[in-house]
Amino acid sequence: MIKSLQGRRTFLKSAALLGGSAAAASQVPGLAARMATAGAAGAPGPLEDYPLAKPENILYSVCQQCNTQCGIKVKIENGVIAKIDGNPYSPWNMMPHLPYATPVTQVAAVDGILCPKGQAAIQTAYDPYRLVKVLKRAGTRGAGTWATIPFEQAVTEIVEGGRLFADVAGEESRNVEGLRALYALRDADVMKALAADAKKVGKKEMPLAEFKTKHAASLKHLIDPDHPDLGPKNNQFTFMWGRLKGGRGELIRRFTETGFGSTNAHGHTTVCQGSLYFTGKAMSEQYVYDDADRKMKWTKGAKFYWQGDQQSAEFILFVGASPLEGNYGPTNRGSRIAQRVADGDLRIAVVDPRASKTAA
């Protein structure tokens, strides 16, 4: 019997949460049992008023601690990150996968898997040494001296340029061109015409003198009229980046190339990523007849992150990296490998080529 109105409310809230938790738990084998055991043992269970299991205290985002970028759920308490767990909606963090149609109110009490790097994002977010202000060089290059400037000042100096280092010895009179000055040529048709004729000059199909005469009105926009292959001053703006996920590079190129008119939007990859791409391409090559060459050839492979079927394998050999400590997606691959090993269906060996040791 419910003895009070407050007791009735508590009962109804608990029943609703229990129903939602049960629905979510039914998608994950053993989760319902673990919830029941936790409640019986006195630990926070689905019926208790645990603030970090309330949907209004959870933000869903993406981990940036490595290139895998797992989904995460960030638990907020009093405006501060208290805990980070895996996003159960993400196929990287939950096996078997949770239906996307599951309401957040039911999933709030369900945590997905997340590796230690992802959980350590709290330290990254609140690192006392993280950069939170704009730093400007206050001494000679390499001296390691910096000054803090307002964000508005930084934007103005980057755009307008000027004598930005007048207080630095040896640079008192040096004028730094800003983005406004580098955004010299803004007519796309003129830029295309210059590029086409510059290519002819490079191939010696057009004399340099003829190029200068033809484009006399636009020579002021070039980096060096005697070397038209360098292009317009816009090319002096370079956007360089490291590793990116799909979509970000396109956004950068849209700003740098299409918007600003510079050809210098460049990223870089690594030996490990390159080898992964081309290994995947080689694995997916098809032996087909090529009409153009009139012969059979290996072709049509896809450069992609191909992964082995670790849930069905009987023996896996990893060289140079342990999938349970690093490599691509410890949360995604580690859980599958661990389950197979626990069931006795899989043997795994990790080879360290530097130490010439193998751990099985």
Side-chain angles (χ1 to χ4, degrees), residues 230-245:
L230 297 177
K233 293 179 180 179
N234 308 50
N235 284 342
Q236 293 181 98
F237 170 57
T238 301
F239 197 126
M240 299 186 67
W241 68 89
R243 303 181 68 176
L244 293 176
K245 278 292 185 182

Side-chain angles (χ1 to χ4, degrees), residues 12-64:
L12 292 175
K13 287 194 300 182
S14 299
L17 179 57
L18 177 60
S21 299
S26 66
Q27 304 297 329
V28 184
L31 183 58
R34 293 200 300 272
M35 284 182 168
T37 303
L47 302 183
E48 298 184 43
D49 190 19
Y50 177 51
L52 297 185
K54 293 183 177 180
E56 63 267 27
N57 293 339
I58 296 173
L59 296 176
Y60 293 91
S61 186
V62 176
C63 178
Q64 296 286 322

Side-chain angles (χ1 to χ4, degrees), residues 237-241 249 252-253 256-257 262-267:
F237 170 57
T238 301
F239 197 126
M240 299 186 67
W241 68 89
I252 291 172
R253 288 191 174 90
T256 307
E257 299 177 348
S262 172
T263 191
N264 292 316
H266 305 294

Side-chain angles (χ1 to χ4, degrees), residues 172-191:
E172 295 86 352
S173 59
R174 184 167 77 90
N175 183 70
V176 179
E177 288 187 306
L179 292 183
R180 191 183 301 280
L182 297 183
Y183 190 30
L185 183 54
R186 307 185 185 188
D187 190 317
D189 293 331
V190 173
M191 188 175 290

Side-chain angles (χ1 to χ4, degrees), residues 2-14:
I2 302 174
K3 298 182 179 180
S4 67
L5 179 61
Q6 182 62 35
R8 182 180 292 108
R9 287 175 178 170
T10 301
F11 172 80
L12 292 175
K13 287 194 300 182
S14 299

